[in-house]
């Protein structure tokens, strides 16, 4: 009997040691990214150094459209909606509140730092905002297409029947025209979109499970590569049925917490952020529409919607990676309008010497008192902001969050 027990304890010890060997590094990485042992970061800038962009409540995503020197954001507007209905955070408490949601698309002028809501044409229904993308209209020089995630409540499906809204906007005009809604069975938990043309758009599914224990596993275990990116081909002439004229396929699978998307250094480069994993993947769009990952970098925190910045005059280029400093707190704060979620915004660039690798530094951080839950950030050259101070390698950093009361802008050194 004693020999059997010794053998049992020995086997148990071996299995435990093996589990630590296999799971130890990924677990340590997850604890770091989620900020389990991270202290709240400090506010690196004073209130006087930060510009608050008014009327930009809960703008989860933000894009800079360089040809018109304009920022576009999708905003929830109502400060109550996000705390009662927001499927990306598994907040399904009040579907009726979500059904009444009327978010909007905003344009922000980096010269005046003013936000303007665009009036909707042909669109007066539920709009629970999330990720967006903005691309040029190839047939109209002064116009853009805007693709936007909309998290509709629907009792006939588990929790939400999310879809994509397609809009058209003439630059400088006060309105935006709704073209059609897009739904496909492959769209399950959409987070962000990347448009390669007016009729071709990629969308990430950030979780396989909408709620529950397995969703938590997806967040904390980097080996849970259960999410994908789907490609949707859209017939824009079909406007009455969201599912009609839509062809879908899986462009990239087996990813961990597929999340924010961004345009990269070339027309075929797509940036894919694993939020909970803190990994930015560099994807190449192949001729058949599928995506292959060719490189990646690891950040030190949760990261969300990535953006690429390049300024030839300054000789600076790199990737802006916004995130939450302590992602571990989100489960406890996501329903609390008075909570603060500290933020970290990273800047990453490709280094060639002494060995090829990615350089990274913290560009901005805040304890959550000035900006809460950073989910998108973009850089705009100071000159484009209309400020000629002769400052070397400075840019305006615009930061917004899915639970931020307002977007902010701060001048940073690059």
């Amino acid at each position: 009997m004693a020999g059997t027990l010794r053998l049992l304890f020995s086997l148990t010890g071996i299995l435990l040691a093996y589990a630590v060997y296999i799971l130890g590094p990924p677990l340590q990485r997850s604890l770091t990214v989620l900020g389990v042992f991270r202290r709240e970061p400090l506010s690196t800038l004073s209130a006087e150094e930060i510009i608050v962009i008014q009327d930009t409540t809960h703008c989860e995503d933000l894009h800079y459209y360089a040809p018109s020197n304009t920022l576009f954001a999708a905003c929830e507007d109502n400060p109550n909606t996000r705390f009662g209905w927001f499927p990306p955070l598994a907040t399904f408490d009040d579907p009726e509140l979500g059904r009444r949601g009327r978010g909007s698309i905003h344009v922000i002028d980096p010269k005046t730092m003013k936000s303007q809501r665009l009036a909707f044409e042909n669109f007066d229904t539920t709009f629970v905002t999330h990720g967006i993308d903005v691309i040029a209209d190839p047939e109209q020089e002064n116009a853009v297409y805007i693709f936007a995630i909309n998290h509709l409540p629907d009792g006939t499906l588990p929790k939400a029947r999310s879809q994509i809204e397609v809009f058209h906007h003439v630059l400088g005009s006060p309105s935006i025209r709704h073209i059609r809604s897009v739904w496909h069975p492959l769209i399950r938990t959409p987070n962000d979109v990347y448009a390669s043309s007016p009729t071709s758009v990629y969308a990430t599914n950030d979780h396989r499970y909408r709620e529950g224990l397995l969703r938590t596993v997806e967040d904390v275990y980097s080996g849970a590569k259960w999410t994908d990116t789907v490609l949707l081909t859209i017939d824009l002439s079909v406007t009455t049925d969201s599912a009609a004229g839509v062809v879908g396929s899986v462009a990239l699978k087996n990813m961990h917490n597929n999340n924010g998307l961004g345009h990269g250094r070339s027309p075929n480069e797509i940036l894919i952020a694993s939020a909970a994993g803190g990994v930015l993947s560099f994807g190449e769009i192949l001729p058949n529409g599928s995506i292959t990952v060719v490189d990646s970098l690891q950040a030190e925190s949760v990261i969300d919607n990535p953006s690429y910045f390049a300024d030839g005059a300054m000789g600076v280029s790199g990737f802006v990676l916004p995130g939450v400093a302590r992602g571990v707190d989100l489960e406890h704060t996501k329903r609390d309008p008075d909570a603060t979620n500290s933020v970290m915004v990273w800047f990453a660039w490709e280094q060639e010497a002494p060995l090829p690798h990615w350089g990274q530094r913290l560009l901005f951080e805040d304890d959550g008192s000035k900006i809460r839950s950073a989910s998108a950030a973009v850089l705009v050259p100071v000159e484009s902001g209309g400020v000629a101070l002769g400052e070397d390698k400075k840019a305006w950093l615009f930061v917004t969050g899915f639970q931020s009361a307002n977007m902010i802008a701060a001048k940073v050194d690059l």
Side-chain angles (χ1 to χ4, degrees):
M1 180 66 178
T4 302
L5 288 175
R6 282 195 298 271
L7 178 60
L8 180 60
F9 286 136
S10 178
L11 289 174
T12 301
I14 292 172
L15 290 174
L16 180 60
Y18 181 74
V20 171
Y21 174 77
I22 295 297
L23 298 178
L27 179 59
Q28 181 62 40
R29 167 73 184 161
S30 295
L31 294 175
T32 299
V33 170
L34 294 174
V36 174
F37 303 116
R38 180 180 289 128
R39 294 182 179 180
E40 293 286 354
L42 301 174
S43 293
T44 54
L45 297 175
S46 67
E48 291 74 22
E49 296 176 285
I50 290 177
I51 298 174
V52 176
I53 313 298
Q54 299 296 332
D55 189 30
T56 51
T57 301
H58 300 168
C59 304
E60 195 274 345
D61 201 3
L62 175 67
H63 285 262
Y64 176 58
Y65 188 69
S68 63
N69 189 33
T70 306
L71 296 159
F72 288 87
C75 307
E76 198 58 47
D77 297 331
N78 184 337
N80 298 316
T81 304
R82 190 129 296 179
F83 299 103
W85 175 263
F86 194 50
L89 287 181
T91 303
F92 304 106
D93 303 345
D94 194 341
E96 184 54 36
L97 178 64
R99 194 168 287 109
R100 296 196 304 269
R102 294 293 185 273
S104 61
I105 303 296
H106 292 228
V107 292
I108 297 99
D109 186 339
K111 292 182 179 180
T112 64
M113 300 293 180
K114 302 293 184 182
S115 173
Q116 176 190 6
R117 299 191 193 194
L118 296 177
F120 285 124
E121 299 176 21
N122 193 36
F123 189 68
D124 184 18
T125 186
T126 300
F127 190 31
V128 179
T129 61
H130 201 180
I132 63 169
D133 197 12
V134 182
I135 62 167
D137 180 348
E139 298 181 356
Q140 188 173 346
E141 184 177 357
N142 65 332
V144 295
Y145 283 93
I146 300 175
F147 297 77
I149 300 290
N150 184 6
H151 293 294
L152 293 165
D154 191 327
T156 64
L157 291 174
K159 303 299 182 181
R161 187 187 183 279
S162 304
Q163 61 187 29
I164 299 170
E165 309 297 346
V166 185
F167 300 96
H168 188 265
H169 170 64
V170 176
L171 297 170
S173 71
S175 62
I176 184 171
R177 177 170 55 90
H178 184 252
I179 297 176
R180 66 162 295 173
S181 299
V182 175
W183 182 86
H184 190 275
L186 289 176
I187 302 176
R188 302 182 306 276
T189 55
N191 186 296
D192 200 10
V193 287
Y194 172 110
S196 56
S197 78
T199 58
S200 180
V201 61
Y202 294 86
T204 55
N205 287 306
D206 59 21
H207 287 82
R208 179 177 179 179
Y209 297 93
R210 286 180 166 87
E211 58 182 342
L213 177 61
L214 288 176
R215 181 187 173 95
T216 302
V217 171
E218 288 188 82
D219 289 334
V220 302
Y221 176 47
S222 60
K225 298 182 178 181
W226 303 335
T227 61
D228 54 24
T229 297
V230 300
L231 170 61
L232 304 172
T233 302
I234 308 164
D235 184 345
L236 294 181
S237 67
V238 179
T239 59
T240 57
D241 185 346
S242 61
V246 180
V247 177
S249 62
V250 176
L252 178 66
K253 59 183 179 179
N254 300 327
M255 297 290 286
H256 175 227
N257 195 207
N258 240 10
N259 203 281
L261 296 174
H263 291 264
R265 295 160 291 187
S266 68
N268 291 329
E269 184 173 65
I270 180 171
L271 311 176
I272 309 166
S274 164
V279 175
L280 178 66
S281 296
F282 298 87
E284 179 184 353
I285 298 176
L286 302 179
N288 63 1
S290 65
I291 299 170
T292 183
V293 174
V294 297
D295 198 1
S296 65
L297 68 85
Q298 293 186 342
E300 295 301 310
S301 71
V302 168
I303 59 173
D304 210 324
N305 300 302
S307 63
Y308 175 63
F309 171 80
D311 187 281
M314 288 192 291
V316 176
S317 64
F319 302 90
V320 184
L321 309 175
V324 178
R326 287 181 50 85
V328 66
D329 295 336
L330 283 176
E331 183 61 30
H332 307 292
T333 61
K334 64 183 183 181
R335 292 180 174 85
D336 184 359
D338 299 319
T340 58
N341 295 102
S342 51
V343 309
M344 306 177 87
V345 180
W346 303 88
F347 187 69
W349 66 95
E350 195 169 13
Q351 291 188 160
E352 296 182 358
L355 294 173
H357 71 288
W358 291 100
Q360 296 180 54
R361 69 179 181 90
L362 192 59
L363 191 63
F364 174 84
E365 63 180 335
D366 185 68
D367 60 5
S369 61
K370 301 178 183 66
I371 181 72
R372 177 182 178 181
S373 66
S375 54
V378 299
L379 286 168
V380 179
V382 166
E383 289 74 17
S384 295
V387 181
L389 299 179
E391 297 167 310
D392 185 36
K393 295 189 177 181
K394 286 185 177 288
W396 287 108
L397 174 69
F398 291 82
V399 186
T400 189
F402 52 88
Q403 290 184 334
S404 58
N406 290 106
M407 186 187 307
I408 65 166
K411 198 177 295 179
V412 296
D413 293 304
L414 297 179

